[in-house]
Amino acid sequence: MYEFKYHRPSTVRQAANLLAKHEDAKLIAGGHTLVPVMKQRLAAPSDIIDLSHIEGVDGIEIKGRSLVIGALAKHADVASSPTVAEAIPALAELAGLIGDPAVRHKGTIGGSLANNDPTADYPAAVMALGATIVTNKRKLKPEEFFQGLFTTALESDEIITKVSFPLPKKAAYQKFRNQASRYALVGVFVARLPSGVRVTVTGAGQDGVFRVEAFEEALKKRFLPKALDGIDVSPDGLNSDLHGSAEYRAHLIGVLAKRAVDAANNRA
Amino acid sequence: MAKVSMIVNGNPVAKNIDPRTLLVQFLREELRLTGTHVGCDTSQCGACVVHLDGKAVKACTTLAVMADGHEVKTIEGLAADGAPLHPMQEAFREHHGLQCGFCTPGMIMTAIDIVHRKGHDLEDHVIREELEGNLCRCTGYQNIVASIAAGAKAMENSDLA
């Protein structure tokens, strides 16, 4: 790990100021992405701004018809929260599938979204549920927030403070894990919302999370696994590696989407 | 340099360290608590698991400065010198839960965390799922799972958490 200066702000505003002042600064929350990358010397931030001591940004609560999760909420907190289990059980299950128990005790929802790893789980839920990503400066819709591989709309002094999830009628997440890394080889999140149906895929796309509009249209008419019969996903733009070809991933998307619809129906 | 102070195994410690210091380095090299091991160094194997404020974390992926002001418990903190072993340690001894022993401290710290979250009656499949973040290079999982099930039960009637 290269040398860096360490800062510990106690408010989001202080953190944003530090971020604006130091060009090569990086935020750290749980550190479970940044620390490994720094250890491999793939990143050499001049300054590390530790968000973990900022209070009041890790709460989980229902506000109106939304579930609001603070950016510093840990995966383990979301997975075990009775509020989440009641409001959006699919989200609690998704959080419980991230990493392993010790990783879930440190990793945060804000960190996961800001990093936008193409195999991360949270982006699928955020985009499928049409959640709003709230920062110290503005509110962002998933379609504008996620901008491809490890890329987001966040500006250089912008910090995610919370995520607001509208409550779906039904939702489920199905993850097919890479047997070695346990990351999503393909993950599919299906949500039936008052406004329609959204189907998102993580792990498979070369540009990160994406929607499958053909599935959404079919499921809008009939929210049943059978509705997806005969609709193929194109392998174009999907990842291909030693764990699975693009064609294999395309096929898995269909299989997992059906399972997710089934799971969502069986829960309600 | 950054000043850190924390409670380690019940004792307050304060040191000036390079902010790059990982929690596992701090424990092993500054405090000479070498029970916490470094296996893979990439957050996968769990040999470095310690408790931070009572929760299992990977000490190889946590900066020591991030533990400032917090409470850390390592394998050395489970039972005092000369005192009887913690029930989970005793269960690992009794059920041959260790082969080479390298992963054992992390396994035991994870096991206790499982009991804190999942209770004293643990089914095998639950233990196996929960052990996802701990690797045994001897692949001795059968006895590790048996040890954790027995240790979890024994912890119910013990003062040691």
Side-chain angles (χ1 to χ4, degrees):
Chain A
M1 203 182 298
Y2 292 104
E3 269 188 272
F4 57 83
K5 274 201 208 91
Y6 174 77
H7 307 269
R8 184 184 297 153
S10 47
T11 64
V12 172
R13 180 185 285 263
Q14 284 175 9
N17 288 342
L18 284 163
L19 203 50
K21 206 161 94 184
H22 302 284
E23 200 183 328
D24 291 324
K26 280 267 186 204
L27 299 174
I28 195 164
H32 273 53
T33 298
L34 186 59
V35 172
V37 172
M38 287 170 64
K39 285 204 290 191
Q40 291 174 70
R41 297 197 160 194
L42 295 172
S46 61
D47 296 78
I48 289 288
I49 303 164
D50 182 358
L51 302 176
S52 66
H53 293 255
I54 297 178
E55 285 183 18
V57 277
D58 63 350
I60 297 173
E61 58 182 343
I62 299 289
K63 272 196 174 166
R65 297 201 44 75
S66 294
L67 171 70
V68 180
I69 301 181
L72 286 181
K74 313 266 199 303
H75 306 323
D77 299 336
V78 176
S80 64
S81 158
T83 309
V84 180
E86 165 96 33
I88 313 179
L91 192 62
E93 279 170 26
L94 175 145
L97 292 171
I98 301 172
D100 61 56
V103 168
R104 292 196 286 275
H105 281 146
K106 292 291 286 176
T108 65
I109 185 168
S112 169
L113 294 175
N115 190 47
N116 193 16
D117 187 313
T119 60
D121 299 288
Y122 269 126
V126 164
M127 191 176 268
L129 294 165
T132 302
I133 295 152
V134 183
T135 74
N136 58 327
K137 301 173 111 177
R138 56 187 168 149
K139 293 176 176 177
L140 289 152
K141 283 289 163 200
E143 282 76 1
E144 42 185 345
F145 180 83
F146 298 114
Q147 298 191 339
L149 222 56
F150 297 104
T151 311
T152 69
L154 288 174
E155 290 166 7
S156 58
D157 59 343
E158 193 167 14
I159 302 170
I160 301 173
T161 54
K162 57 190 175 188
V163 187
S164 176
F165 296 90
L167 302 187
K169 289 183 179 165
K170 292 177 180 181
Y173 180 62
Q174 290 287 316
K175 177 177 182 174
F176 192 92
R177 296 204 263 204
N178 178 321
Q179 287 303 304
S181 73
R182 316 300 278 169
Y183 274 100
L185 195 64
V186 176
V188 177
F189 201 106
V190 172
R192 190 176 194 187
L193 306 156
S195 56
V197 176
R198 285 158 76 109
V199 180
T200 57
V201 178
T202 190
Q206 285 171 3
D207 292 328
V209 66
F210 65 93
R211 288 170 67 177
V212 187
E213 274 151 31
F215 283 5
E216 295 178 356
E217 286 305 315
L219 291 170
K220 215 164 123 183
K221 292 185 194 116
R222 271 196 315 165
F223 195 74
L224 288 170
K226 266 196 294 195
L228 302 180
D229 281 346
I231 309 175
D232 291 326
V233 174
S234 164
D236 291 346
L238 298 189
N239 288 321
S240 198
D241 55 29
L242 79 167
H243 305 292
S245 64
E247 289 75 17
Y248 179 66
R249 281 183 163 90
H251 177 71
L252 264 184
I253 292 170
V255 173
L256 294 176
K258 285 183 183 179
R259 286 186 196 165
V261 174
D262 200 36
N265 281 332
N266 284 332
R267 178 178 287 129
Chain B
M1 297 299 269
K3 191 169 179 239
V4 290
S5 53
M6 60 185 96
I7 309 284
V8 179
N9 297 334
N11 305 312
V13 295
K15 297 257 182 193
N16 269 314
I17 56 166
D18 186 319
R20 283 180 287 185
T21 311
L22 299 167
L23 181 57
V24 71
Q25 287 176 302
F26 181 74
L27 295 170
R28 290 179 57 86
E29 294 165 22
E30 296 285 333
L31 304 183
R32 297 285 164 195
L33 294 170
T34 53
T36 304
H37 292 165
V38 181
C40 68
D41 203 28
T42 56
S43 347
Q44 319 208 4
C45 82
C48 67
V49 169
V50 299
H51 291 184
L52 185 61
D53 295 335
K55 287 176 179 167
V57 302
K58 300 204 167 169
C60 81
T61 311
T62 304
L63 297 173
V65 282
M66 297 180 77
D68 184 67
H70 293 271
E71 214 166 302
V72 176
K73 189 181 256 188
T74 71
I75 190 80
E76 290 93 343
L78 292 184
D81 269 349
L85 292 175
H86 183 283
M88 191 59 78
Q89 292 174 303
E90 181 58 33
F92 268 71
R93 193 192 66 78
E94 179 69 26
H95 295 268
H96 306 283
L98 58 157
Q99 290 181 32
C100 85
F102 190 84
C103 73
T104 310
M107 286 285 180
I108 289 177
M109 298 313 283
T110 293
I112 293 168
D113 179 72
I114 299 171
V115 178
H116 288 165
R117 289 180 294 111
K118 301 268 170 183
H120 298 278
D121 248 332
L122 297 172
E123 288 183 50
D124 280 8
H125 76 93
V126 172
I127 298 172
R128 287 178 185 276
E129 279 166 28
E130 290 286 327
L131 281 183
E132 185 177 336
N134 290 73
L135 301 179
C136 164
R137 294 185 289 191
C138 312
T139 66
Y141 293 100
Q142 192 63 38
N143 292 343
I144 291 171
V145 172
S147 302
I148 294 175
K153 285 207 169 65
M155 278 172 67
E156 198 164 12
N157 305 311
S158 161
D159 297 334
L160 294 170

